[in-house]
Amino acid sequence: MRITIPKTLTMAAAAVVIGTTPVMAGKSNDTLVWSTDREADVALPYYNNIREMVIMARLVWDTLMYRDTKTFEYRPQLATSWKWVDNLTIDLELRKGIKFHDGSDFDAEDVAGTFNHLVKDESGVLTRRNVNWMKNVEVLGPYKVRINLAKPFPAAFEFLSGPLAIFPSEIWKTAKKDAKGKFDYGTIDEVGTGPYKITKVVPGEFIKMEINKNYWSGSPKGKAKIGTVIFKTVPDTEAQVAQLLTGEIDWIWDVPKDKAEDLKASGRVQVVNEKTFRVSYITMDVAGRSGEKIWQNIKVRQAVAHAIDRNAIAKQLVGEASIAIHSACYPTQIGCTQDVPKYAYDPAKAKKLLAEAGYPNGLTTNIWAYRQREYTEAVMGYLAKVGIKTNLKYMQYKALRPIVRSGKAPFHQMTWGSYSMNDASAITSHFFKHGPDDYCRDPDVKKWLEIADTSVDLKVRKENYKKALARVAEKLCWLPMFTYAKYYSFSKDLDFTPTNDEIPRFFTAKWK
């Protein structure tokens, strides 16, 4: 029986109700405890969009398709086959014989019930971009559904294989009402069909998941091998490292580079550096939204591009798995190409370009940033060497975001994670279709992206993404920097392989 502590209780009271904290981690207890500093109050996808919930969703829920972590191909999961009927319609045949954790049978009504609930405004879904491309779902038979799209959306399979967990169709009726009499769908039970099931939730402290012994054979996820998985909130890196070394937890990530190197040198735990979908980029205000005219000079922008040693920052500061990139997309994403104009590290050329632009004695400007201050300070150091002096405007993301989107940050270094979606539309189309983050505002780029984002012909998509990406690189309104890389550290007893979409799949882990 699942136990949930009411959110109104204090953490101390919660501990009294539960009677104990989670069992100790480790191979001897067949319990994998993983930790971050985030608190999870609601253990439901759609109603908690922190990264930790994205991870747990893959353990507890299945999706219609499964994206292979190595080939990026889509494989059958709850759906056995699918086809485009036209650019607004997808038909899917569903798998028979699947049961939810509560023992109920999975069928077409569950797919329709889940998606038709999610697309409603009153559903309260936090990340609406995951669902707003759907109009509705029809049941065509006991194990066949039709998804009607609200607009052409060729990235549909990427979403059907990622964030779109399937729930029992009737579960939405069990939601409790809040003080205003509205349904709070964050109060439903955590029922899925996945390799683990949630058995205990202590908001802000831990979420316990136990192996689903009846998980269906033939799943691309495979059968889970570890009996219990617990997500535990530990408020800071120092405490996480200490508990990792004492065996209270088995797995942590986002370990700072210096601490990761110390842990690796100690030989007491495993340390791995792995790519992520997140990229760093520098925006320069080509469109003139800010009124700062220096960025409309192509030679100034080229000087910036040639002044920065992106490879050195990637390898020396970010991690061995980080690479410099040249296109405004993540290299594996559908439609992404690195066959665009490139700007090699060449400080002498940068100085020459700056002089040709009318700044033989250099210039002074502001640079805005919010993440990994040391990365931006490295950029500032390289720029200073060629005569570009920068004043750092460093602030929290929530403070910087509205400044950027209002066009008041003409020169800024930021990051983008693409929501771990392996499709160029998740990044390129976000930044260059004249939205609030677009400092390029090129009409041809927008036109090409509209074609790429609405065609289900892969050849057409790739052709138009390439044209858009080449133009962006040529104009240099957006300078791609490098991919991010995470340091993972985990128990020597644990056999675990990270993936570059930042979704650790603990159902593939096992004890050595």
Side-chain angles (χ1 to χ4, degrees), residues 450-481:
E450 291 286 1
I451 295 171
D453 290 346
T454 57
S455 175
V456 296
D457 186 322
L458 184 57
K459 182 179 179 182
V460 170
R461 297 194 76 203
K462 288 182 175 180
E463 287 174 351
N464 283 278
Y465 279 131
K466 183 174 182 178
K467 286 191 285 188
L469 290 165
R471 174 70 64 83
V472 169
E474 179 186 3
K475 293 184 74 167
L476 267 178
C477 44
W478 211 84
L479 175 64
M481 293 290 286

mmCIF file of all heavy atoms in Angstrom, residues 450-481:
data_model
loop_
_atom_site.group_PDB
_atom_site.id
_atom_site.type_symbol
_atom_site.label_atom_id
_atom_site.label_comp_id
_atom_site.label_asym_id
_atom_site.label_seq_id
_atom_site.Cartn_x
_atom_site.Cartn_y
_atom_site.Cartn_z
ATOM 1 N N GLU A 450 9.768 27.103 -40.130
ATOM 2 C CA GLU A 450 8.341 26.763 -40.206
ATOM 3 C C GLU A 450 8.137 25.528 -41.090
ATOM 4 O O GLU A 450 7.335 24.639 -40.768
ATOM 5 C CB GLU A 450 7.540 27.944 -40.768
ATOM 6 C CG GLU A 450 7.454 29.149 -39.850
ATOM 7 C CD GLU A 450 6.511 28.932 -38.683
ATOM 8 O OE1 GLU A 450 5.936 27.834 -38.563
ATOM 9 O OE2 GLU A 450 6.376 29.865 -37.862
ATOM 10 N N ILE A 451 8.880 25.466 -42.182
ATOM 11 C CA ILE A 451 8.774 24.296 -43.068
ATOM 12 C C ILE A 451 9.303 23.054 -42.362
ATOM 13 O O ILE A 451 8.656 22.003 -42.349
ATOM 14 C CB ILE A 451 9.558 24.543 -44.380
ATOM 15 C CG1 ILE A 451 8.929 25.689 -45.169
ATOM 16 C CG2 ILE A 451 9.586 23.261 -45.224
ATOM 17 C CD1 ILE A 451 9.770 26.147 -46.361
ATOM 18 N N ALA A 452 10.478 23.174 -41.739
ATOM 19 C CA ALA A 452 11.096 22.020 -41.073
ATOM 20 C C ALA A 452 10.251 21.529 -39.908
ATOM 21 O O ALA A 452 10.194 20.325 -39.638
ATOM 22 C CB ALA A 452 12.493 22.408 -40.579
ATOM 23 N N ASP A 453 9.578 22.442 -39.232
ATOM 24 C CA ASP A 453 8.803 22.077 -38.045
ATOM 25 C C ASP A 453 7.439 21.491 -38.361
ATOM 26 O O ASP A 453 6.768 20.965 -37.471
ATOM 27 C CB ASP A 453 8.594 23.315 -37.153
ATOM 28 C CG ASP A 453 9.870 23.776 -36.483
ATOM 29 O OD1 ASP A 453 10.857 23.022 -36.486
ATOM 30 O OD2 ASP A 453 9.878 24.904 -35.954
ATOM 31 N N THR A 454 7.021 21.573 -39.622
ATOM 32 C CA THR A 454 5.668 21.099 -39.954
ATOM 33 C C THR A 454 5.628 19.981 -40.994
ATOM 34 O O THR A 454 4.564 19.432 -41.263
ATOM 35 C CB THR A 454 4.804 22.273 -40.458
ATOM 36 O OG1 THR A 454 5.443 22.893 -41.584
ATOM 37 C CG2 THR A 454 4.613 23.311 -39.360
ATOM 38 N N SER A 455 6.769 19.634 -41.546
ATOM 39 C CA SER A 455 6.799 18.559 -42.544
ATOM 40 C C SER A 455 7.104 17.217 -41.880
ATOM 41 O O SER A 455 7.943 17.130 -40.993
ATOM 42 C CB SER A 455 7.877 18.847 -43.601
ATOM 43 O OG SER A 455 7.982 17.753 -44.500
ATOM 44 N N VAL A 456 6.406 16.171 -42.335
ATOM 45 C CA VAL A 456 6.711 14.829 -41.836
ATOM 46 C C VAL A 456 7.675 14.112 -42.777
ATOM 47 O O VAL A 456 7.989 12.942 -42.569
ATOM 48 C CB VAL A 456 5.423 13.998 -41.654
ATOM 49 C CG1 VAL A 456 4.543 14.621 -40.586
ATOM 50 C CG2 VAL A 456 4.657 13.851 -42.971
ATOM 51 N N ASP A 457 8.154 14.828 -43.782
ATOM 52 C CA ASP A 457 9.160 14.301 -44.706
ATOM 53 C C ASP A 457 10.534 14.627 -44.117
ATOM 54 O O ASP A 457 10.938 15.796 -44.052
ATOM 55 C CB ASP A 457 8.989 14.940 -46.084
ATOM 56 C CG ASP A 457 9.920 14.340 -47.143
ATOM 57 O OD1 ASP A 457 11.083 14.022 -46.802
ATOM 58 O OD2 ASP A 457 9.493 14.213 -48.305
ATOM 59 N N LEU A 458 11.276 13.601 -43.695
ATOM 60 C CA LEU A 458 12.550 13.813 -43.017
ATOM 61 C C LEU A 458 13.548 14.552 -43.904
ATOM 62 O O LEU A 458 14.307 15.404 -43.423
ATOM 63 C CB LEU A 458 13.133 12.472 -42.567
ATOM 64 C CG LEU A 458 14.433 12.534 -41.754
ATOM 65 C CD1 LEU A 458 14.251 13.387 -40.505
ATOM 66 C CD2 LEU A 458 14.893 11.124 -41.391
ATOM 67 N N LYS A 459 13.555 14.257 -45.183
ATOM 68 C CA LYS A 459 14.469 14.923 -46.113
ATOM 69 C C LYS A 459 14.188 16.420 -46.157
ATOM 70 O O LYS A 459 15.107 17.248 -46.112
ATOM 71 C CB LYS A 459 14.347 14.320 -47.510
ATOM 72 C CG LYS A 459 15.308 14.930 -48.524
ATOM 73 C CD LYS A 459 15.158 14.276 -49.897
ATOM 74 C CE LYS A 459 16.101 14.921 -50.905
ATOM 75 N NZ LYS A 459 15.932 14.312 -52.263
ATOM 76 N N VAL A 460 12.918 16.782 -46.225
ATOM 77 C CA VAL A 460 12.525 18.191 -46.253
ATOM 78 C C VAL A 460 12.921 18.869 -44.950
ATOM 79 O O VAL A 460 13.415 20.001 -44.942
ATOM 80 C CB VAL A 460 11.009 18.321 -46.490
ATOM 81 C CG1 VAL A 460 10.551 19.768 -46.284
ATOM 82 C CG2 VAL A 460 10.647 17.847 -47.880
ATOM 83 N N ARG A 461 12.719 18.190 -43.838
ATOM 84 C CA ARG A 461 13.082 18.750 -42.541
ATOM 85 C C ARG A 461 14.586 19.047 -42.490
ATOM 86 O O ARG A 461 14.998 20.139 -42.111
ATOM 87 C CB ARG A 461 12.720 17.780 -41.410
ATOM 88 C CG ARG A 461 11.250 17.489 -41.255
ATOM 89 C CD ARG A 461 10.984 16.812 -39.920
ATOM 90 N NE ARG A 461 11.038 17.789 -38.837
ATOM 91 C CZ ARG A 461 11.291 17.483 -37.569
ATOM 92 N NH1 ARG A 461 11.566 16.228 -37.224
ATOM 93 N NH2 ARG A 461 11.298 18.421 -36.649
ATOM 94 N N LYS A 462 15.393 18.067 -42.858
ATOM 95 C CA LYS A 462 16.842 18.233 -42.784
ATOM 96 C C LYS A 462 17.327 19.355 -43.700
ATOM 97 O O LYS A 462 18.209 20.141 -43.329
ATOM 98 C CB LYS A 462 17.541 16.919 -43.129
ATOM 99 C CG LYS A 462 17.409 15.846 -42.043
ATOM 100 C CD LYS A 462 18.172 14.593 -42.421
ATOM 101 C CE LYS A 462 18.148 13.569 -41.294
ATOM 102 N NZ LYS A 462 18.900 12.334 -41.636
ATOM 103 N N GLU A 463 16.782 19.427 -44.894
ATOM 104 C CA GLU A 463 17.190 20.464 -45.844
ATOM 105 C C GLU A 463 16.930 21.854 -45.275
ATOM 106 O O GLU A 463 17.763 22.752 -45.376
ATOM 107 C CB GLU A 463 16.436 20.298 -47.169
ATOM 108 C CG GLU A 463 16.910 19.113 -48.005
ATOM 109 C CD GLU A 463 16.037 18.895 -49.232
ATOM 110 O OE1 GLU A 463 14.972 19.565 -49.330
ATOM 111 O OE2 GLU A 463 16.400 18.064 -50.087
ATOM 112 N N ASN A 464 15.779 22.039 -44.673
ATOM 113 C CA ASN A 464 15.412 23.366 -44.185
ATOM 114 C C ASN A 464 16.090 23.717 -42.869
ATOM 115 O O ASN A 464 16.437 24.879 -42.636
ATOM 116 C CB ASN A 464 13.897 23.480 -44.086
ATOM 117 C CG ASN A 464 13.253 23.691 -45.441
ATOM 118 O OD1 ASN A 464 13.196 24.794 -45.950
ATOM 119 N ND2 ASN A 464 12.806 22.593 -46.051
ATOM 120 N N TYR A 465 16.307 22.720 -42.012
ATOM 121 C CA TYR A 465 17.094 22.995 -40.810
ATOM 122 C C TYR A 465 18.519 23.400 -41.190
ATOM 123 O O TYR A 465 19.099 24.316 -40.599
ATOM 124 C CB TYR A 465 17.135 21.776 -39.884
ATOM 125 C CG TYR A 465 15.907 21.614 -39.022
ATOM 126 C CD1 TYR A 465 15.256 20.392 -38.937
ATOM 127 C CD2 TYR A 465 15.392 22.681 -38.277
ATOM 128 C CE1 TYR A 465 14.124 20.232 -38.146
ATOM 129 C CE2 TYR A 465 14.272 22.530 -37.479
ATOM 130 C CZ TYR A 465 13.633 21.306 -37.425
ATOM 131 O OH TYR A 465 12.530 21.167 -36.643
ATOM 132 N N LYS A 466 19.082 22.728 -42.186
ATOM 133 C CA LYS A 466 20.446 23.053 -42.596
ATOM 134 C C LYS A 466 20.537 24.481 -43.109
ATOM 135 O O LYS A 466 21.483 25.224 -42.781
ATOM 136 C CB LYS A 466 20.941 22.070 -43.653
ATOM 137 C CG LYS A 466 22.392 22.324 -44.060
ATOM 138 C CD LYS A 466 22.925 21.257 -45.006
ATOM 139 C CE LYS A 466 24.390 21.537 -45.336
ATOM 140 N NZ LYS A 466 24.966 20.499 -46.218
ATOM 141 N N LYS A 467 19.564 24.910 -43.928
ATOM 142 C CA LYS A 467 19.579 26.278 -44.438
ATOM 143 C C LYS A 467 19.487 27.289 -43.287
ATOM 144 O O LYS A 467 20.200 28.296 -43.264
ATOM 145 C CB LYS A 467 18.431 26.479 -45.431
ATOM 146 C CG LYS A 467 18.664 25.811 -46.772
ATOM 147 C CD LYS A 467 17.660 26.234 -47.817
ATOM 148 C CE LYS A 467 16.316 25.595 -47.625
ATOM 149 N NZ LYS A 467 15.398 25.864 -48.759
ATOM 150 N N ALA A 468 18.613 26.995 -42.341
ATOM 151 C CA ALA A 468 18.439 27.897 -41.200
ATOM 152 C C ALA A 468 19.696 27.952 -40.338
ATOM 153 O O ALA A 468 20.149 29.036 -39.934
ATOM 154 C CB ALA A 468 17.243 27.454 -40.372
ATOM 155 N N LEU A 469 20.271 26.797 -40.058
ATOM 156 C CA LEU A 469 21.455 26.738 -39.196
ATOM 157 C C LEU A 469 22.666 27.399 -39.853
ATOM 158 O O LEU A 469 23.459 28.066 -39.183
ATOM 159 C CB LEU A 469 21.762 25.277 -38.845
ATOM 160 C CG LEU A 469 20.763 24.611 -37.897
ATOM 161 C CD1 LEU A 469 20.933 23.096 -37.905
ATOM 162 C CD2 LEU A 469 20.920 25.154 -36.483
ATOM 163 N N ALA A 470 22.800 27.232 -41.161
ATOM 164 C CA ALA A 470 23.910 27.870 -41.876
ATOM 165 C C ALA A 470 23.770 29.391 -41.837
ATOM 166 O O ALA A 470 24.757 30.115 -41.641
ATOM 167 C CB ALA A 470 23.968 27.376 -43.315
ATOM 168 N N ARG A 471 22.551 29.880 -42.013
ATOM 169 C CA ARG A 471 22.335 31.330 -41.972
ATOM 170 C C ARG A 471 22.626 31.897 -40.582
ATOM 171 O O ARG A 471 23.256 32.950 -40.445
ATOM 172 C CB ARG A 471 20.900 31.647 -42.388
ATOM 173 C CG ARG A 471 20.500 33.126 -42.255
ATOM 174 C CD ARG A 471 21.189 34.034 -43.264
ATOM 175 N NE ARG A 471 20.813 33.704 -44.623
ATOM 176 C CZ ARG A 471 19.685 34.134 -45.231
ATOM 177 N NH1 ARG A 471 18.839 34.915 -44.569
ATOM 178 N NH2 ARG A 471 19.428 33.790 -46.464
ATOM 179 N N VAL A 472 22.173 31.210 -39.549
ATOM 180 C CA VAL A 472 22.424 31.663 -38.179
ATOM 181 C C VAL A 472 23.924 31.712 -37.901
ATOM 182 O O VAL A 472 24.441 32.662 -37.303
ATOM 183 C CB VAL A 472 21.708 30.741 -37.163
ATOM 184 C CG1 VAL A 472 22.179 31.026 -35.737
ATOM 185 C CG2 VAL A 472 20.195 30.916 -37.258
ATOM 186 N N ALA A 473 24.638 30.673 -38.349
ATOM 187 C CA ALA A 473 26.090 30.637 -38.137
ATOM 188 C C ALA A 473 26.790 31.739 -38.923
ATOM 189 O O ALA A 473 27.751 32.353 -38.443
ATOM 190 C CB ALA A 473 26.640 29.268 -38.529
ATOM 191 N N GLU A 474 26.321 31.999 -40.116
ATOM 192 C CA GLU A 474 26.919 33.039 -40.954
ATOM 193 C C GLU A 474 26.714 34.424 -40.332
ATOM 194 O O GLU A 474 27.630 35.246 -40.289
ATOM 195 C CB GLU A 474 26.296 32.990 -42.346
ATOM 196 C CG GLU A 474 26.824 34.049 -43.302
ATOM 197 C CD GLU A 474 26.085 34.054 -44.632
ATOM 198 O OE1 GLU A 474 25.115 33.273 -44.787
ATOM 199 O OE2 GLU A 474 26.468 34.853 -45.502
ATOM 200 N N LYS A 475 25.522 34.684 -39.826
ATOM 201 C CA LYS A 475 25.205 35.998 -39.265
ATOM 202 C C LYS A 475 25.781 36.183 -37.854
ATOM 203 O O LYS A 475 25.958 37.307 -37.392
ATOM 204 C CB LYS A 475 23.686 36.204 -39.224
ATOM 205 C CG LYS A 475 23.051 36.312 -40.590
ATOM 206 C CD LYS A 475 21.569 36.606 -40.501
ATOM 207 C CE LYS A 475 21.297 38.035 -40.094
ATOM 208 N NZ LYS A 475 19.872 38.413 -40.301
ATOM 209 N N LEU A 476 26.016 35.070 -37.159
ATOM 210 C CA LEU A 476 26.595 35.103 -35.820
ATOM 211 C C LEU A 476 25.751 35.899 -34.816
ATOM 212 O O LEU A 476 26.274 36.636 -33.990
ATOM 213 C CB LEU A 476 28.012 35.677 -35.851
ATOM 214 C CG LEU A 476 29.148 34.660 -35.989
ATOM 215 C CD1 LEU A 476 30.492 35.370 -36.059
ATOM 216 C CD2 LEU A 476 29.138 33.683 -34.811
ATOM 217 N N CYS A 477 24.459 35.740 -34.911
ATOM 218 C CA CYS A 477 23.623 36.310 -33.853
ATOM 219 C C CYS A 477 23.648 35.385 -32.632
ATOM 220 O O CYS A 477 23.293 35.799 -31.526
ATOM 221 C CB CYS A 477 22.185 36.491 -34.341
ATOM 222 S SG CYS A 477 21.527 35.102 -35.281
ATOM 223 N N TRP A 478 24.091 34.184 -32.827
ATOM 224 C CA TRP A 478 24.099 33.150 -31.777
ATOM 225 C C TRP A 478 25.373 32.338 -31.961
ATOM 226 O O TRP A 478 25.550 31.690 -32.982
ATOM 227 C CB TRP A 478 22.872 32.261 -31.972
ATOM 228 C CG TRP A 478 22.249 31.637 -30.783
ATOM 229 C CD1 TRP A 478 21.344 32.201 -29.941
ATOM 230 C CD2 TRP A 478 22.391 30.268 -30.355
ATOM 231 N NE1 TRP A 478 20.905 31.274 -29.014
ATOM 232 C CE2 TRP A 478 21.535 30.086 -29.233
ATOM 233 C CE3 TRP A 478 23.157 29.194 -30.786
ATOM 234 C CZ2 TRP A 478 21.423 28.876 -28.551
ATOM 235 C CZ3 TRP A 478 23.051 27.976 -30.114
ATOM 236 C CH2 TRP A 478 22.191 27.831 -29.010
ATOM 237 N N LEU A 479 26.272 32.411 -30.996
ATOM 238 C CA LEU A 479 27.533 31.682 -31.091
ATOM 239 C C LEU A 479 27.439 30.406 -30.240
ATOM 240 O O LEU A 479 27.465 30.479 -29.006
ATOM 241 C CB LEU A 479 28.688 32.548 -30.600
ATOM 242 C CG LEU A 479 30.069 31.866 -30.543
ATOM 243 C CD1 LEU A 479 30.534 31.473 -31.946
ATOM 244 C CD2 LEU A 479 31.089 32.770 -29.855
ATOM 245 N N PRO A 480 27.325 29.239 -30.863
ATOM 246 C CA PRO A 480 27.337 27.988 -30.089
ATOM 247 C C PRO A 480 28.686 27.839 -29.394
ATOM 248 O O PRO A 480 29.727 28.124 -29.987
ATOM 249 C CB PRO A 480 27.145 26.912 -31.162
ATOM 250 C CG PRO A 480 26.601 27.628 -32.355
ATOM 251 C CD PRO A 480 27.208 28.992 -32.298
ATOM 252 N N MET A 481 28.673 27.386 -28.153
ATOM 253 C CA MET A 481 29.910 27.296 -27.377
ATOM 254 C C MET A 481 30.364 25.846 -27.191
ATOM 255 O O MET A 481 31.320 25.400 -27.800
ATOM 256 C CB MET A 481 29.718 27.983 -26.031
ATOM 257 C CG MET A 481 29.517 29.486 -26.149
ATOM 258 S SD MET A 481 31.029 30.338 -26.655
ATOM 259 C CE MET A 481 31.971 30.239 -25.147
#
